[in-house]
Amino acid sequence: MPPQHLPIVLILAGNDPSGGAGLAADTAAVLSLGGHPAPVVTALTVQDTAKVQRFESVAPSLVVEQARAVLEDMPVAAVKIGMLGTASVVEAVHGVLRDYPRLPVVLDPVLRGGGGGELSDPDTLEALRCLLLPQATLLTPNLPEALALAPGADGCDASGAALRELGAEYVLITGGHAEGGEVVNRLYSPHGGCDTASWPRLPGEFHGSGCTLAAAAATFIAQGETPPAAARAAQRYAWNALNAAHRLGLGQLIPDRLFWARDRDTST
């Protein structure tokens, strides 16, 4: 594919120095699937494969300048949003997206690190709920995040419906935090349907699994897939990346986003 035809994914996320999550994970997933990543740094984190220690958000004006520099220069085909950290950064991103209403947006509402530790301030949740959910083409929370965003809901289906009512077009709630031999993910769509996908539960805990899924979905959408088709393809890609994960540190496993390039059969 000629470089000028590469689907460009604008990524807004925090930097994880372990390379397991955040911008590094998103960039690897987009590249792996044939897209071109355009990474905008929203926060600097101090974390390893075990937990988050602290973070500092980038100034909202600098986040805006980074994003607009890309959007005014390149034909961005989709936007992937991860960690934003503070309500002020959420507001800044909302302002940018308002000028590009036709751009599909995949929103991974990162609130905490997979191994523990806060990745947002107390006001971020409400800002995400009010400002970015209505701009999301596809929202990809895990169940704890979905329940936090829809505090009146008492389960997966109720939170999926509530998040749709708040404005997200499609809502993919992942079930990795539940128990059982399978991980059950549920996609809630505009017509009220629910598409369920089950995946064999893999042993261990993973650093950056949500980032991998959301970045993959954004890339498939950038390539022209519908959100439901992108969600299905992204789940398969993420499962295979997790199945080929490496223990590179003392904490969680890091998904291998380039599993297909290794000299072994890991696909399903």
Side-chain angles (χ1 to χ4, degrees), residues 12 40-42 57-69 89 92:
L12 297 103
V40 171
V41 183
T42 60
S57 286
V58 171
S61 60
L62 186 53
V63 173
V64 170
E65 289 180 42
Q66 292 178 81
R68 290 198 183 279
V89 173

Side-chain angles (χ1 to χ4, degrees), residues 117-222:
E118 298 295 330
L119 287 171
S120 63
D121 69 14
D123 297 325
T124 303
L125 187 65
E126 185 63 20
L128 285 171
R129 184 186 294 120
C130 296
L131 298 178
L132 290 190
L133 259 63
Q135 295 177 312
T137 306
L138 175 63
L139 178 69
T140 63
N142 57 40
L143 183 54
E145 290 166 343
L147 293 172
L149 287 166
D154 59 1
C156 189
D157 289 342
S159 60
L163 295 172
R164 282 273 304 109
E165 290 177 3
L166 286 169
E169 186 176 357
Y170 290 86
V171 179
L172 175 63
I173 300 180
T174 58
H177 287 73
E179 297 181 355
E182 292 188 328
V183 173
V184 180
N185 302 328
R186 293 177 171 86
L187 178 68
Y188 300 91
S189 60
H191 53 74
C194 177
D195 182 15
T196 300
S198 300
W199 301 90
R201 187 176 296 276
L202 297 167
E205 296 182 345
F206 302 93
H207 187 54
S209 56
C211 304
T212 306
L213 175 67
T219 307
F220 286 121
I221 290 174

Side-chain angles (χ1 to χ4, degrees), residues 69-94:
V70 173
L71 288 163
E72 293 170 8
D73 177 56
M74 307 172 77
V76 171
V79 179
K80 187 270 178 180
I81 301 175
M83 176 193 177
L84 298 180
T86 65
S88 59
V89 173
V90 173
E91 292 169 0
V93 171
H94 165 72

